[in-house]
Structures are given as structure tokens and as C-alpha cells.
Amino acid sequence: MSGWAAIFNNTNFALTVQSEALARFQEQIASGQRVIRASDDPGAAHRIMYLKAFARNLESYERNLGTVESNLEQVTSCLTAVTESLSLAREKLTRAVNGTFSAQQRAGFAGEIETAIQMILMVANRKHAGQYLFGGSKISTVPYVATYDSAGRVVSVTYNGGTQDLPVPVAPGVEYSGVVVAEDMFKLDNPTGVVFLGQTGAAAGTGTSTIEGDVSLEVSRETVYGDTGGTNVAEGDSADTSDTIRGDHTLTIDTNAKTIKLDDGTAVSYDGVPSPTDFMIQNASGDVAYVDVSNITPDIGTVDVTITGRGLLSIDGGLSTHQTDYTDTNLAVSHSQTGLMLYVNTTGITQCGTEPVNKALPYDMFVDLIAIRDNLLNSDGALSVAEQNEELVDGLNRLEGLLSAVTNGEITVGSKLQAVGATIRYMLEDLSASSLQESSQLQDLDLTEAVVQLARTQTLYEMILASSSRLLNLSLLDYI
Amino acid sequence: MNFQISLSGLNVAQQAIDLIATNIANAGTKGYHRQELNVAPIEFNATNVVTLAGAEVIGVRRAIDQMLERQILRVECQMGQISQELMTLQLVERTLGDIDSNRLGLALNGFFDSLRELSAHPNNAGYQCSVVEAGTALANEFQNMATFTQELDGHILLQADIIVQQVNDLATEIADLNAEINAAILRGNDANVMQDRRDQAIAELAGLVEIQADAGGALEGQVNVRVGGAPLVMGGQTIELEVTTDSNNTLGLAGAGSSTLLAGIDQGQLGALFTLKNSLLADITDSLDLLAGQVIKAVNEYHVQGVGTSGSFAELSGWAVGLSTAKLSELSSDISLGTLQLRVINQLTGEITIERVEVDDLDTTFGQFATTLSNLDNITAWISGSALHIQAATNYKFDFLPVCSGQYDPGTWDPVNNTAQIAISGIFEGSANEDFTVTVVGGGGVGIDEGLKLLVEDALSEKVAEFNVGLGYTPGDVLTLDNGITLTVSAGDFVVDDSFTLHGVADSDSANILTSVGINTFFSGSSASNIAICQDVIADPGRVATAMSDTMTDNRNIVRLGNIADQQIAALGNLTPSDHYRMLAAGIGRDVSVRFAKKTALQIVSNQLANQRDTISGVDINAEAAKMLLFEQMFQAMAKVLSVQNEALQSLMAIV
């Protein structure tokens, strides 16, 4: 036995320890949390604070996402309205072009075109949540400003919006714009995109082609012989169609031994060959040339002859051709009659043939619609019916391009909306849920365990009180 | 018959019972050591024959184990230290807030969230105001914490003064007791009670400050006390101590009037207060100041270069940094060699002039720099109230947008024959300012002559891009470099081999002048105690710099401001601002947790030592009761013996 005072010390100490434990359990149970402050579990606290801050960050991204999504929904809705208006305009125009209508009836069509113009103007100037949707980053500026004639018809429309969109952070490292640059969709001044649709291997050059619509690019070739050195060697019958050499090559003719070789290929005998006017020779790389060896002058020694394989391109049906040694990245091929230009990259040409090429027509939404309306009106009678029809057909072609652009724009915005609304939103929700779940696992209290511990500690506390009371009451003085 | 023998026995029994009563009376007295009678037989020497003649009390000794007492002192000292540190750190932790309510962390996140949300609504006054409010909340939380740590510093000083006064009082008491004990010993009196009082005073002193207590010295029975190796109590003399700071602003203990701090004062409450003031709290304050300073710097570095929806500026004023005669290097250590780019806009014509001010000598004075700015057309700058003021002329405005520009030197660019105009636009995406050389290749008419190109090379003459501007190019078409810069070329002619410099501007204030003197900044101040939102921004939230392109309608600046939240800042140990804060908060939590564990362990040891001491020095009621019975019987027996002796003598007298 360690002494009466020791009993007192132990009682005091144990009661202090257990009462502190009881207070701690009570705090945990009341809050439902195991980790309330950093000192409860510093490592877990650091992680919990990070996860909760991350979840809050994700909430701000979600709010931005909501803004972008809301804007894009409006943009989609607006583009649908524009498409409908343009479709209506096209319908009217098609009827006007195809049918026989009086001036008054055409004026009626013009009125409907004007309605479409006003409608599109209103839609293009749509404002949502304080932001103009179609002016790019200039969200405080009315994108389109119109001037009107005395009859209230739109005379001109000027774009005052921005040329860049407004990328907004919607997820960590991800930005999307909820506004669009309408001019990118409603106007195409200098269409640069030339599409090559054939199999020759020709591609667009770096220059700005001026062709419009559909054009056929004729790709052919020829083999040109330089100084033959008196050998009289010439191109074979099928050289133009079957030679595969590109650029300069060397024919080495040994007129004494009657052999011929192409570049570093094997020298072959041309004496007594079955088709001397169309003799095929090949170099080590596999390039082929067809040669006419029927008239080669014998016994004049060994002669080197330079032959050049080059391409010939034409967009005017062969009226003019343009040569290439297949190293041109920006060969200018012009139309001899119209002066229009097509820039071609010839480095990938592998075969001859006809290459269909298309370049979109330029268009300008409001300019084209106003022009169509004015043509229908023909208010000063300046145009004859034939001239009017011709202008209207041109307008119809431009309208087609416009409709296609707006439809493509609708699809682009729609896919963006899909990405924003589904993929990114799902990702944010998933990240947020997993963060909160992990922080909950780290922080939340196991209530069952806590209650059991509390009961145990409480029992221990009572036992300490009871035992110390019993022990401290015993004394020899009671028996003296 | 020797009555003295009986009397001596009665005397011993009486003294024993008195001592037992004293022990029982002091059973609960703190610091009391049980006293025991030292009884010895009386020796009577008659002509070299020793005869026992009763018993006498030769002394009263304390039941004490000096080694145990020293151990207890050591634990008291450690307990005093740990308790003080724990209490103070818990206070700091509570002020920072719980995990879910840590105000500074929430304010920091809230500020960057508000910037992020403004990027989606850059023209919305409500969101602009939210940024200002969030910034203000952040500044307030920093200031609150700074004020708290400053006040805590003050309290620590006050508490240290109070404790050192207690130390001095206890030292005086110990010295007085030393003298009294010595006097009592010299008189042959019992000094046990005074020794107990002295030991108690020493124990109290140990809890306050780390001491070494040793017996010895000129006076018998004295205990000398040393603090940090220096004497505090020497016999009956004391040396007064005081709390002071040395030249390094380190708080410590020194002799009264001395500025040399005593070494090794780590334990006890005083040691804890010194550690808290000099190290623990100082580190927390430094960490908060570092965080605030870096947030201010990072935000301002971007903010100075942008404009808000309020647009360019008619005038701007900075904050007080120094006299006009002060050198730039003295104004701020952040100012370095570099370039400041201004745009000056004619409001009437729309003409924009881009001016570049080179900072190439840090010994340039503040006033000289203002003069350099004033030498720019349509700009006036001056120093007033130790602050820089910049003003545009009437119908002019200015800003510091990091727009790219071209520099056409007459030596390399023929201004007459180069008739084509080059417009430079876009946002340079490089990480640092970079100059490029644009050289005309081929020469001729734009859009007309084949082979006319513009060759763009970097500073190492490496080709960056080559653009066809001859045949095939349509004047006005946009030419885009991979680094974000765009060029458009008008119709006209270019002279072959002419060249100009294209400035790719990533930072229009690469010299850090604007951030250092407070021009177009978002925050003012440099630490947690003085961080605030600039008044210009509070007055006009449209001044929050959302844009950084020449159109002034983009949101790139506010996006990059929001991205600071995820930016690893070198000065913060490559941590983001929020990570740095979390490390600080978790670090404080760890310090509290460690000290709590230490305190619990010390309490167990202390309890065990107390039990051990009570076994040796404590009063066991049952043992004293048993001894009381023994001496009571002894007293009764001696009284009986005396009575018998008396009766015998009476009988003898009757015979005579």
C-alpha cells in the first residue's frame, strides 16, 4: 500500500483524466464529429480542410457552369430562331425564283424577307442576364446596330461586337465561352477554306484562293527530255500517263554496249526489246520511266541525258496549264478566262486525274438579306425580270451558305452545351461528392463507438468515486 | 532510584505525542514533510563507566528524499512550461477557428472564388462589388489575426513581468528563510518547518522558471538557487531579475539593469513565454505576414496591368513610399531593372501611343522617375506626400495594358517607302517579355507580289514564323503566331530586308514599379497587419481589372487573377496560398496535440512522483495513530514507574 496520501493523489488524478475524457466525448457526440479542430488529428484536419475547400471551389465552378449553360441554351434557342427565319426566307426566295409572280407579289415576298431581317436582328441583339450573347467579349455593347429608311425598313446593319469570345473557367483547367462572336457565323468575307475532294493527292496551298463554288482541278504530267547528246532517245508512248519519276533524273545510255539505266538503277540492254518505243526502266528507288529506245544512235559512247518528270495543273479545262516539280507548297493555278486563282500544294500528288475542289461562297447575313429584299422590291424598276432572277439566284446561293453556316453553328453550340451540361457538370458533381465523402469519412464520428466509450468512461468515473470514498473512510482513529 | 530516568521517559513520550499531533495537523499541508523524533539513550559516565540513564530527544528530523525532491522540481518546471505553451497555443487555435469555421481559410477561398465568378460576369456591378467585399473580408481576417498576435505578444510581456515579479518575491522569501534557518541551527533550534516553507517556495519557483537548487555555502543549512547558471539566491542575498529584450528583439531574462540575457531559460512558465514570444508566435506571425504579402504581391502584379469596366485612367495616385530623393532601390526590394509600358489614348481621335520607360538604374531617385514619366507626351507625374501621382492631359487617358507593339527604328525601317501598315494585336502568352525581329523577305506589294513574306525571329535569331503577305494574301487577313500575337497587314508596299522589333509583352511592369508604389493596385500594404483594399477600388468597383487586351472587353486578367488560387508560389515553398494556410493551421494543431500529449505524460509522472514522495514524506494517519498509541502507553508506563519510585521513596522515608 502506497499510503493514504497516495490514495488521494490517485483519486484526484483519475477523476481529472476521466472528466476530461467525458467532456471530450460529450463534445464529439454533440457535434457528430470526431475531428473538430486541428489538434484533434492534425493529419486528418489538413486533409479535411483541403477537401472542403476543394468542394467549395467546385461550387464556384458550378455557378460559372450554370451561367455558361444558361447562356448557351439561349444562344441555341436564338440560332434555332435564326435558322427558322432563314429557312422561311429561302422558301420565299425559292418560290420567287421559280414561279412567275407579279411585282406586287414579289413585293409581298420582300415584306416577308424584311420581317425575317427584323427578327434576326432582334435575336442577334438578345441580352440574357445582363450580357449580349452574340457580341463576343463585348457583352455590354449592342452587337448589331441598324439604320432604317423612311418606311421603317432596315437599310444597313453594322456589327459593333467583339472578335474574341469570353472563355469562362467552368472546371479546374477547363474554360468555355457562353457567348459567341456572331460575325464568325453570320459573315464570311474571304472564305479561305478550300476543300479537295478527289484522290490525286493535291491539297490546299497557303495562299488565299479566289475561286468560288465548285471547280475541277485537272492533274496530269509530262516527262521532258533535256539535251540527248545525239542519242535520239525520247519519251516512251505511255510516259505521260505511266511515268512515276518526279523532278530531275538521269538516263545513262551506253550506246556501245546498248544498255540504259535510270539514275542508280541496274543497266539493262535495250537491244532487241519487244516494245522499243515504250521501254520501261526503273531506278533503285522504284521510280519508273518509259523510254523510246528505237532510234538511239549506236556507238557514240556513254551519254547522260537529264529527264524531268513534272506535273501539269489546270482549272480551265486545259486552256492553260501550270507546271510543278511536286515541291510546290503554294502553286498558283489561275483560270485563263476569269482570272480566279486556286493555290495548290503539289507535294502530295501521287496520281493524275480530276480533283473536285470546292470553296464556299462569301456571305454576309444582313447584307445578303437586304440585297434579296431590295431585289424583290426592285422599287426603282432598274432590273429587268431576267436580271432580277439572276440576282435572286445568286442571293439564294448565298442564303444556302448562310443557312449551312448557322446550322453548323447551331451544331457546334449544341455540342458545347452537351459537353457543359452533361460531361463537365457530371465531372464536377462527381468530384464534389467524392471530396465530401472522403472528408466525411475522416471527420464524422462513429456514434455507436462514441456512445459505448462514453458509457464506459462514465462507469469508470463512478467506480473511482465509489472506491476512493470507501478507502478514504477507513482509519485506525475510528477504532481508538 | 533515579527519578530523572522516568522524567526523561515522560519527556520523550510527551514530545513524541506533540510531534504526532503536529504531523496529523499538517497531513494536508502542501509541502509538509513528516517529522520524526530522533531519540537516543542518555549515557551517564561516572569515572569511565558508562551507565544508561533514560532517554532524550536529540533531534527532530524531516522524512525527506532529496533526490526525489529534485526530480519533482524538474517535473514541476517542465509542467509549468508545457501548461503555459499549451494554453497559449490552444488560444491561437481557437482564434483561427475550428476546421469548419476557420475564418481566414474561408475568406481566402471566398476571395478567389469571387474572382472566378466575376470572370463569367465581368461587366456586372454586383459581381464586381462581391470581389471588393470578399477582398475586404480577407483583409479584415488577416488584420484580425495580426491584431490578435500583437495583443497576445503584449499579454505575454505583461504576464512575463508579473511572473518575474513573483520570481523575485519567492527569491526574497527563500533568502530570508536561508538566514532564519541558519540562525535557528546556530541556536540549536529545530528548523524543519522553515525548511519545509523554503522547499515549498523553491517548488513554486521551479514552476515559474528553470532553476538549479543546491545546498551549501557559507551559511549552514542554506540552499542556493541559480537561474540560467547565474545566481538568484546566494545564502541570504538575492539578485533581482527582470524581463527585457536584447538588440535582436529577443525576449528573455536578465539581471536588473542588464541587457545581457541569461542563457538556457527554456522551461517553466517564463521559459514557455519566451519560447512563445521569440519562436512559436513569431513563426506564426511571420507565416501570416508571408502569406498576406505574397497574396498582395501576386494579385497586384496582375491587377496593375489590367483595366476594369471603368476603362483607362485620367489620373492615378499611389501610396506613400518615400521622398522624392529616395532611390528606387530604397523604396522597395521588389523594384528591379525592367520596363514599364504605358498606353496613352487620345479620347477625341482614338489614337493610341505606346510608351516604354526603361528602368535601367536602380540608383535613379523617385523624383527622377516621376520626371521621366512627365517627359512623356500628355502625361504629368509628380511626387507629393511621398506618393507618386500620374495624370493624363485633358482629353487623354492612360493605362498599362500589356499589349504587344512594334518599334520601328529609322535605321532598319524606311518609314517613307514601307507604306503597308501592320496592326499588332492579341494577348502574348509567353511567361516573360520577349522581343522578336520581323524582317521583310522579298519586298513588293502586299497581296500582289509573289514571294513577299514577313519572317519572325526570336532573340536568338531562331525562326518563329514566316507569313506570306504577297500574292495569295488578302490585306486585312489575320496572321497568328503560336504565342498569341496576331498581325494584320494593310495594302501597300514593303521594302526588302527592312525589319522592325515586335515587343511581346507578358508583363507591362517588369520592373515592379507600379506594384511597389501602389499605382492601379488592388491591395495596399505588405503584411497581415496592414493589408487593405485600395480606396480607388472600394470607391469604384468597376476599377477591378478584369481585362488585359486592347479591346478592354475580355476577361483574361480576372481569369488569371482567379487562377492565383492554384498557383504554386516559390516564396511560399511552392505551395498555393490556401495550401500554405492549411499547413499553418495544421501545424498549430500539431503543436497543440504534441503538447497535450506531453502534458498528459508529465501529469502521470508527476502523480507517480507525488505518490512516491508521500510514501516517504507523507503523513499516514494510521501510522501516526499507531505511534500515538505506543507513546501514550509509554507515557502511562513512565508515570507508573515514577509513581512506584515515589512510593518506594515514601516507604524509605517512613522507615527513617
Side-chain angles (χ1 to χ4, degrees):
Chain A
M1 187 173 168
S2 61
W4 181 83
I7 297 171
F8 171 78
N9 288 341
N10 290 340
T11 302
N12 201 30
F13 177 69
L15 286 175
T16 303
V17 167
Q18 298 307 325
S19 60
E20 281 177 358
L22 283 171
R24 178 88 189 104
F25 284 128
Q26 187 191 28
E27 189 184 31
Q28 286 181 334
I29 290 167
S31 65
Q33 292 177 337
R34 181 185 69 89
V35 184
I36 298 169
R37 53 191 73 83
S39 55
D40 293 338
D41 187 341
H46 184 267
R47 182 72 183 155
I48 292 166
M49 282 192 285
Y50 166 76
L51 290 167
K52 291 202 166 186
F54 184 60
R56 278 191 294 274
N57 286 349
L58 292 177
E59 284 173 17
S60 81
Y61 281 120
E62 279 186 71
R63 285 189 284 273
N64 279 3
L65 186 72
T67 300
V68 168
E69 201 177 3
S70 171
N71 281 357
L72 288 178
E73 284 170 354
Q74 291 295 314
V75 168
T76 305
S77 164
C78 289
L79 289 177
T80 304
V82 170
T83 306
E84 285 171 1
S85 294
L86 287 176
S87 297
L88 187 67
R90 180 179 61 179
E91 182 199 325
K92 299 299 175 189
L93 192 55
T94 306
R95 285 184 65 195
V97 165
N98 293 333
T100 305
F101 295 98
S102 66
Q104 196 175 1
Q105 286 168 320
R106 288 191 172 198
F109 289 142
E112 294 187 41
I113 298 293
E114 173 65 22
T115 302
I117 292 170
Q118 301 265 9
M119 169 68 171
I120 293 170
L121 187 61
M122 185 183 73
V123 165
N125 284 338
R126 175 75 62 86
K127 200 173 180 181
H128 176 66
Q131 298 181 2
Y132 287 103
L133 299 174
F134 287 93
S137 62
K138 287 189 177 179
I139 54 177
S140 301
T141 304
V142 178
Y144 287 99
V145 174
T147 57
Y148 301 84
D149 63 13
S150 55
R153 287 190 292 258
V154 175
V155 171
S156 67
V157 177
T158 307
Y159 179 69
N160 286 337
T163 57
Q164 304 288 329
D165 58 12
L166 197 74
V168 170
V170 293
V174 179
E175 291 180 352
Y176 268 96
S177 176
V179 297
V180 297
V181 178
E183 283 286 87
D184 288 348
M185 222 181 290
F186 295 166
K187 186 177 176 181
L188 187 62
D189 274 337
N190 299 300
T192 55
V194 180
V195 181
F196 286 68
L197 301 166
Q199 306 295 323
T200 64
T206 56
T208 305
S209 300
T210 55
I211 59 164
E212 291 179 353
D214 294 318
V215 164
S216 291
L217 173 68
E218 301 295 332
V219 179
S220 58
R221 66 173 318 286
E222 63 180 9
T223 302
V224 175
Y225 281 65
D227 181 6
T228 64
T231 61
N232 293 322
V233 67
E235 62 175 1
D237 296 335
S238 56
D240 283 346
T241 54
S242 301
D243 279 3
T244 62
I245 56 166
R246 295 151 70 98
D248 290 339
H249 294 263
T250 304
L251 282 178
T252 304
I253 307 168
D254 186 343
T255 59
N256 294 340
K258 292 190 172 58
T259 60
I260 187 169
K261 69 171 183 175
L262 177 64
D263 300 323
D264 52 355
T266 307
V268 292
S269 172
Y270 58 82
D271 187 26
V273 294
S275 304
T277 61
D278 201 27
F279 181 57
M280 187 199 84
I281 51 174
Q282 193 173 356
N283 65 10
S285 303
D287 297 322
V288 167
Y290 285 85
V291 183
D292 182 355
V293 298
S294 59
N295 291 320
I296 291 180
T297 308
D299 300 322
I300 58 170
T302 301
V303 179
D304 285 337
V305 178
T306 301
I307 61 174
T308 305
R310 60 190 183 195
L312 296 172
L313 281 70
S314 171
I315 57 172
D316 53 14
L319 292 175
S320 63
T321 58
H322 301 265
Q323 297 171 358
T324 178
D325 59 1
Y326 304 103
T327 62
D328 293 302
T329 57
N330 195 37
L331 178 70
V333 180
S334 61
H335 194 294
S336 59
Q337 292 175 324
T338 64
L340 296 173
M341 201 77 75
L342 172 67
Y343 288 91
V344 183
N345 183 333
T346 66
T347 58
I349 292 177
T350 55
Q351 54 184 294
C352 303
T354 301
E355 181 84 26
V357 177
N358 174 266
K359 184 184 171 196
L361 290 171
Y363 53 82
D364 184 323
M365 169 91 75
F366 292 105
V367 168
D368 291 344
L369 285 174
I370 291 169
I372 291 166
R373 179 205 64 196
D374 289 346
N375 287 333
L376 282 168
L377 276 175
N378 195 19
S379 50
D380 57 1
L383 297 172
S384 65
V385 173
E387 284 169 340
Q388 198 179 21
N389 268 0
E390 197 179 317
E391 291 289 335
L392 292 175
V393 166
D394 182 57
L396 192 59
N397 288 334
R398 291 177 189 276
L399 206 53
E400 290 290 348
L402 197 51
L403 249 177
S404 175
V406 174
T407 304
N408 286 340
E410 224 178 325
I411 293 169
T412 304
V413 171
S415 63
K416 211 188 275 189
L417 190 57
Q418 169 76 11
V420 159
T423 311
I424 295 177
R425 182 171 292 284
Y426 177 76
M427 178 188 77
L428 288 179
E429 285 172 356
D430 191 43
L431 281 172
S432 179
S434 62
S435 301
L436 291 174
Q437 186 184 10
E438 188 184 343
S439 76
S440 177
Q441 281 171 350
L442 289 168
Q443 191 176 21
D444 288 352
L445 182 69
D446 183 337
L447 270 174
T448 308
E449 186 186 341
V451 167
V452 166
Q453 290 287 345
L454 175 67
R456 178 179 169 277
T457 306
Q458 195 174 358
T459 303
L460 208 58
Y461 190 85
E462 288 170 0
M463 283 175 62
I464 293 167
L465 287 172
S467 62
S468 53
S469 169
R470 188 174 282 268
L471 288 171
L472 289 171
N473 276 336
L474 289 174
S475 170
L476 183 58
L477 292 172
D478 294 333
Y479 298 96
I480 293 175
Chain B
M1 282 177 283
N2 192 340
F3 286 99
Q4 293 302 321
I5 293 173
S6 305
L7 281 172
S8 72
L10 285 172
N11 205 28
V12 166
Q14 191 178 349
Q15 285 186 64
I17 291 170
D18 285 345
L19 195 61
I20 288 164
T22 302
N23 280 342
I24 293 173
N26 284 290
T29 303
K30 197 171 164 125
Y32 179 80
H33 294 83
R34 189 182 73 252
Q35 295 189 49
E36 292 171 344
L37 225 52
N38 201 2
V39 180
I42 297 172
E43 290 179 2
F44 177 70
N45 189 336
T47 59
N48 293 328
V49 176
V50 175
T51 308
L52 293 177
E56 62 177 348
V57 174
I58 59 172
V60 178
R61 67 164 192 276
R62 292 190 302 164
I64 187 169
D65 182 340
Q66 292 294 347
M67 198 179 301
L68 183 62
E69 295 295 322
R70 276 201 287 276
Q71 264 189 294
I72 290 172
L73 280 185
R74 203 174 306 123
V75 170
E76 281 296 314
C77 203
Q78 290 171 357
M79 184 65 85
Q81 176 208 350
I82 287 293
S83 297
Q84 180 65 58
E85 285 180 5
L86 180 63
M87 189 172 61
T88 307
L89 287 173
Q90 280 177 329
L91 182 61
V92 175
E93 186 187 39
R94 276 197 296 277
T95 306
L96 271 180
D98 294 342
I99 289 175
D100 291 326
S101 61
N102 57 100
R103 292 190 300 271
L104 182 53
L106 289 172
L108 197 57
N109 282 335
F111 173 64
F112 288 116
D113 284 349
S114 71
L115 292 172
R116 195 175 293 122
E117 289 177 38
L118 179 58
S119 69
H121 310 87
N123 66 333
N124 187 300
Y127 284 89
Q128 291 165 358
C129 285
S130 289
V131 167
V132 173
E133 282 165 13
T136 303
L138 178 61
N140 285 343
E141 288 305 329
F142 268 122
Q143 286 185 9
N144 284 343
M145 280 307 299
T147 303
F148 166 76
T149 56
Q150 282 167 8
E151 285 176 355
L152 194 56
D153 269 356
H155 287 143
I156 286 173
L157 283 173
L158 192 62
Q159 198 173 356
D161 280 336
I162 293 170
I163 290 174
V164 83
Q165 190 53 50
Q166 287 177 332
V167 167
N168 289 331
D169 290 344
L170 284 168
T172 304
E173 186 182 342
I174 293 167
D176 291 344
L177 285 167
N178 271 344
E180 285 176 24
I181 289 167
N182 177 255
I185 292 173
L186 289 176
R187 283 196 299 271
N189 290 343
D190 173 22
N192 289 334
V193 171
M194 285 187 283
Q195 283 174 334
D196 279 348
R197 278 171 50 200
R198 183 181 61 188
D199 288 346
Q200 184 56 28
I202 290 172
E204 282 180 34
L205 189 60
L208 300 177
V209 67
E210 187 178 0
I211 58 169
Q212 298 88 38
D214 302 301
L219 300 177
E220 191 172 342
Q222 74 179 17
V223 170
N224 298 324
V225 179
R226 283 174 290 124
V227 173
L232 174 65
V233 177
M234 296 295 289
Q237 308 295 320
T238 64
I239 288 144
E240 194 174 331
L241 298 176
E242 64 181 12
V243 170
T244 187
T245 51
D246 66 3
S247 55
N248 295 327
N249 206 32
T250 303
L251 185 70
L253 202 57
S258 167
S259 60
T260 306
L261 300 182
L262 298 174
I265 311 293
D266 300 324
Q267 296 187 352
Q269 273 185 272
L270 262 184
L273 290 173
F274 296 155
T275 303
L276 284 165
K277 170 78 171 67
N278 298 329
S279 175
L280 295 174
L281 288 181
D283 287 348
I284 292 170
T285 304
D286 287 347
S287 187
L288 282 170
D289 282 342
L290 177 67
L291 177 61
Q294 289 303 311
V295 168
I296 292 167
K297 191 174 169 193
V299 168
N300 283 348
E301 274 179 359
Y302 288 151
H303 197 272
V304 296
Q305 301 179 55
V307 295
T309 51
S310 298
S312 305
F313 316 106
E315 61 181 318
L316 283 173
S317 294
W319 54 59
V321 289
L323 299 174
S324 61
T325 51
K327 294 180 189 173
L328 290 180
S329 56
E330 292 166 358
L331 297 179
S332 168
S333 58
D334 289 332
I335 295 177
S336 62
L337 302 179
T339 308
L340 173 65
Q341 178 173 290
L342 288 92
R343 293 190 334 148
V344 183
I345 304 116
N346 185 323
Q347 297 286 98
L348 298 176
T349 65
E351 184 190 353
I352 298 173
T353 307
I354 295 179
E355 304 280 7
R356 295 167 64 81
V357 177
E358 297 295 331
V359 178
D360 52 13
D361 181 3
L362 295 181
D363 287 338
T364 304
T365 66
F366 199 16
Q368 287 170 335
F369 178 74
T371 304
T372 306
L373 289 178
S374 277
N375 289 340
L376 302 174
D377 290 341
N378 302 303
I379 291 289
T380 308
W382 68 96
I383 310 294
S384 171
S386 299
L388 176 66
H389 303 268
I390 305 176
Q391 190 176 53
T394 306
N395 294 322
Y396 283 84
K397 285 195 173 179
F398 65 95
D399 58 51
F400 305 98
L401 291 175
V403 296
C404 303
S405 61
Q407 184 173 343
Y408 303 87
D409 297 318
T412 58
W413 187 263
D414 181 351
V416 174
N417 292 309
N418 281 307
T419 58
Q421 300 299 314
I422 301 175
I424 301 165
S425 187
I427 297 176
F428 181 52
E429 294 165 3
S431 57
N433 293 348
E434 196 176 346
D435 284 346
F436 302 91
T437 303
V438 182
T439 306
V440 177
V441 175
V446 173
I448 299 172
D449 289 314
E450 193 163 351
L452 175 62
K453 295 180 185 178
L454 292 178
L455 172 66
V456 183
E457 293 171 310
D458 63 15
L460 299 174
S461 300
E462 298 282 336
K463 178 173 141 182
V464 172
E466 191 174 51
F467 298 111
N468 170 45
V469 292
L471 185 65
Y473 172 76
T474 303
D477 275 359
V478 177
L479 307 168
T480 306
L481 280 85
D482 289 340
N483 55 25
I485 301 177
T486 61
L487 308 172
T488 54
V489 183
S490 71
D493 294 322
F494 280 133
V495 176
V496 63
D497 292 336
D498 269 15
S499 65
F500 67 91
T501 303
L502 172 63
H503 294 299
V505 181
D507 184 356
S508 59
D509 179 30
S510 60
N512 296 320
I513 287 268
L514 302 178
T515 52
S516 299
V517 303
I519 294 288
N520 195 30
T521 53
F522 182 84
F523 285 116
S524 63
S526 59
S527 68
S529 58
N530 61 13
I531 178 176
I533 310 297
C534 285
Q535 282 302 313
D536 289 344
V537 176
I538 293 175
D540 179 10
R543 288 276 283 265
V544 176
T546 51
M548 61 184 279
S549 77
D550 51 350
T551 62
M552 296 193 284
T553 58
D554 63 292
N555 66 347
R556 302 320 300 161
N557 205 43
I558 200 70
V559 167
R560 65 178 183 168
L561 280 168
N563 287 342
I564 290 172
D566 302 319
Q567 202 172 306
Q568 290 175 324
I569 299 175
L572 296 180
N574 287 327
L575 296 174
T576 66
S578 293
D579 280 342
H580 180 91
Y581 169 75
R582 281 190 287 273
M583 290 288 285
L584 171 67
I588 292 170
R590 185 188 56 241
D591 287 344
V592 168
S593 178
V594 163
R595 279 158 181 79
F596 185 81
K598 269 190 188 172
K599 184 181 175 186
T600 305
L602 276 175
Q603 281 173 334
I604 294 171
V605 170
S606 175
N607 187 55
Q608 287 172 348
L609 288 174
N611 285 347
Q612 221 174 328
R613 180 178 57 185
D614 287 334
T615 303
I616 296 168
S617 309
V619 175
D620 187 337
I621 300 290
N622 294 324
E624 295 302 308
K627 277 193 281 189
M628 186 176 70
L629 284 174
L630 177 67
F631 284 107
E632 184 191 6
Q633 286 179 350
M634 178 182 162
F635 188 87
Q636 288 170 351
M638 283 285 101
K640 191 70 180 174
V641 166
L642 195 61
S643 174
V644 166
Q645 282 176 332
N646 188 41
E647 282 176 12
L649 200 59
Q650 292 289 337
S651 297
L652 192 63
M653 290 297 290
I655 294 171
V656 172

